[in-house]
Amino acid sequence: MTVGVLGAYKFRGLLSSPGRTADHLKQVLIDWINDVLVEERIIVKQLEEDLYDGQVLQKLLEKLADRKLNVAEVTQSEIGQKQKLQTVLEAVHDLLRPHGWTIKWNVDSIHGKNLISILHLLVALAMHFRAPIRLPEHVSVQVVVVRKREGLLQTTHSLITFVNKHLNKLNLEVTELETQFADGVYLVLLMGLLEDYFVPLHNFYLTPESFDQKVHNVSFAFELMQDGGLKKPKARPEDVVNLDLKSTLRVLYNLFTKYKNVE
C-alpha cells in the first residue's frame, strides 16, 4: 500500500448526521484497534472518548511498532494527558514523516476530541503498518463544533447527535442548538419522546409567535423534566428564549446525562 493512497481520503465536515461510510470507517478502526490490543484487555467503544488522553494510542503504537515509550502509565490531569499525548505523537511523527506522510493532527486537536483529526491519525497508522482491514473511501464526517463563550469551551457534537436520534422519529432535525430550541417546541416534543408519551397539543404552542408563548413552552418543558425526575433547571426559560447558548446547553446536557441510553 503506497503513501499516495491516503490522499484519496477527504474528510468533509458536515452539520448533518454522519453518513454510513463515516460510521463504517469508525467501526472498522475500532475493531482493528481492539484486535491489536486484545492481549492488553483494552476495549475501545468510542474513538473520541477513548483515544483523546493518549493512553490507548500509547498502547496501540507500542504494539504496532514493537517498542516501549517512556511515558507515565496513568495521567489524570489535563497537563499530564497532553504531555503524554505529545510524547506519543512525536513517536508517531518520527515513524511517518520519513515516509512522506502529511501530518493532519496535533496534540490540541486529538485531546480536544476532534474526530476528523483522530481519523486522519488512525488511517495513517493503519496504512503505514499495513493493517489487514479494508478502508471505505469518500468519507463524510460530522464536524465537532466548538465555541468559546465567556472563557468556556462548549462542544455541541454529542448533544446534536443525541437530540436528533430522538427527534428524527418525528422527521425533525436539529443543526443549531442555540436557535432551534429557543421557542420550546423541540424541548417539549423531545421530553415526550424520551419519556415515551404523547404531549397533548393544547398544553403548548406548536407555532409560538410571541415572546410570552415561547417562554410558556420552555417553562412547560421544564415542568415535564421535573415530572421525569430531573432537578429544576438552573437556566431561566427567558434565557433559553433569548438564545443564550450556555443556558440551552446546560438544559440539554442534563437530558443527555439521564437519557443517553434511551433508544
Side-chain angles (χ1 to χ4, degrees), residues 27-39:
Q27 193 57 53
V28 167
L29 293 170
I30 287 173
D31 291 343
W32 169 60
I33 294 171
N34 287 335
D35 285 342
V36 173
L37 299 179
V38 63
E39 295 180 357

Side-chain angles (χ1 to χ4, degrees), residues 180-219:
Q180 288 181 269
F181 283 96
D183 63 6
V185 175
Y186 279 11
L187 276 179
V188 172
L189 296 176
L190 182 60
M191 280 308 303
L193 291 165
L194 293 173
E195 286 288 343
D196 194 25
Y197 56 70
F198 176 76
V199 181
L201 298 181
H202 66 265
N203 284 338
F204 67 104
Y205 298 94
L206 191 59
T207 56
E209 298 179 356
S210 68
F211 181 84
D212 288 342
Q213 289 177 348
K214 294 176 182 179
V215 170
H216 168 84
N217 282 354
V218 177
S219 298

Side-chain angles (χ1 to χ4, degrees), residues 7-259:
Y9 265 83
K10 304 294 185 183
F11 297 115
R12 296 184 290 115
L14 302 176
L15 288 179
S16 59
S17 298
R20 290 183 179 179
T21 52
D23 291 335
H24 180 52
L25 174 60
K26 290 169 66 175
Q27 193 57 53
V28 167
L29 293 170
I30 287 173
D31 291 343
W32 169 60
I33 294 171
N34 287 335
D35 285 342
V36 173
L37 299 179
V38 63
E39 295 180 357
E40 301 288 336
R41 297 184 179 179
I42 292 175
I43 298 178
V44 170
K45 295 182 179 180
Q46 292 184 312
L47 295 180
E48 305 98 307
E49 297 298 328
D50 295 340
L51 270 68
Y52 79 97
D53 62 359
Q55 182 75 14
V56 173
L57 283 175
Q58 173 206 342
K59 298 297 183 182
L60 179 64
L61 183 60
E62 289 180 339
K63 196 72 174 181
L64 293 172
D66 192 23
R67 56 173 292 194
K68 185 72 175 176
L69 297 179
N70 184 24
V71 293
E73 279 300 311
V74 180
T75 52
Q76 299 293 336
S77 68
E78 179 178 338
I79 294 177
Q81 290 173 353
K82 286 188 173 182
Q83 289 175 340
K84 180 172 191 170
L85 194 55
Q86 179 69 43
T87 301
V88 174
L89 293 184
E90 285 177 356
V92 171
H93 300 165
D94 289 342
L95 284 173
L96 299 182
R97 280 202 180 102
H99 296 279
W101 294 97
T102 301
I103 306 302
K104 297 183 178 181
W105 57 84
N106 54 45
V107 171
D108 288 333
S109 65
I110 299 297
H111 194 270
K113 304 180 183 180
N114 184 302
L115 178 59
I116 295 178
S117 294
I118 292 172
L119 288 176
H120 272 299
L121 170 59
L122 293 177
V123 167
L125 286 174
M127 295 174 67
H128 178 77
F129 287 102
R130 301 180 182 275
I133 58 177
R134 183 179 179 84
L135 297 171
E137 298 181 358
H138 310 298
V139 177
S140 297
V141 182
Q142 183 178 18
V143 161
V144 177
V145 181
V146 177
R147 300 186 176 193
K148 191 169 185 180
R149 293 284 181 93
E150 300 177 11
L152 298 176
L153 288 177
Q154 303 285 0
T155 179
T156 67
H157 167 70
S158 60
L159 294 179
I160 287 179
T161 301
F162 165 69
V163 297
N164 280 335
K165 173 183 176 182
H166 299 283
L167 289 175
N168 285 169
K169 299 170 186 175
L170 299 177
N171 294 319
L172 301 173
E173 184 171 19
V174 170
T175 58
E176 176 55 62
L177 299 181
E178 187 172 12
T179 58
Q180 288 181 269
F181 283 96
D183 63 6
V185 175
Y186 279 11
L187 276 179
V188 172
L189 296 176
L190 182 60
M191 280 308 303
L193 291 165
L194 293 173
E195 286 288 343
D196 194 25
Y197 56 70
F198 176 76
V199 181
L201 298 181
H202 66 265
N203 284 338
F204 67 104
Y205 298 94
L206 191 59
T207 56
E209 298 179 356
S210 68
F211 181 84
D212 288 342
Q213 289 177 348
K214 294 176 182 179
V215 170
H216 168 84
N217 282 354
V218 177
S219 298
F220 177 55
F222 284 7
E223 291 176 9
L224 296 180
M225 293 174 195
Q226 293 177 76
D227 290 342
L230 288 167
K231 293 182 179 180
K232 182 178 180 180
K234 293 183 179 179
R236 299 187 309 144
E238 291 81 2
D239 293 332
V240 175
V241 176
N242 283 324
L243 308 180
D244 182 80
L245 180 61
K246 184 177 177 181
S247 297
T248 304
L249 289 177
R250 281 179 174 171
V251 173
L252 293 176
Y253 184 75
N254 284 338
L255 294 180
F256 172 77
T257 300
K258 179 175 181 180
Y259 298 102

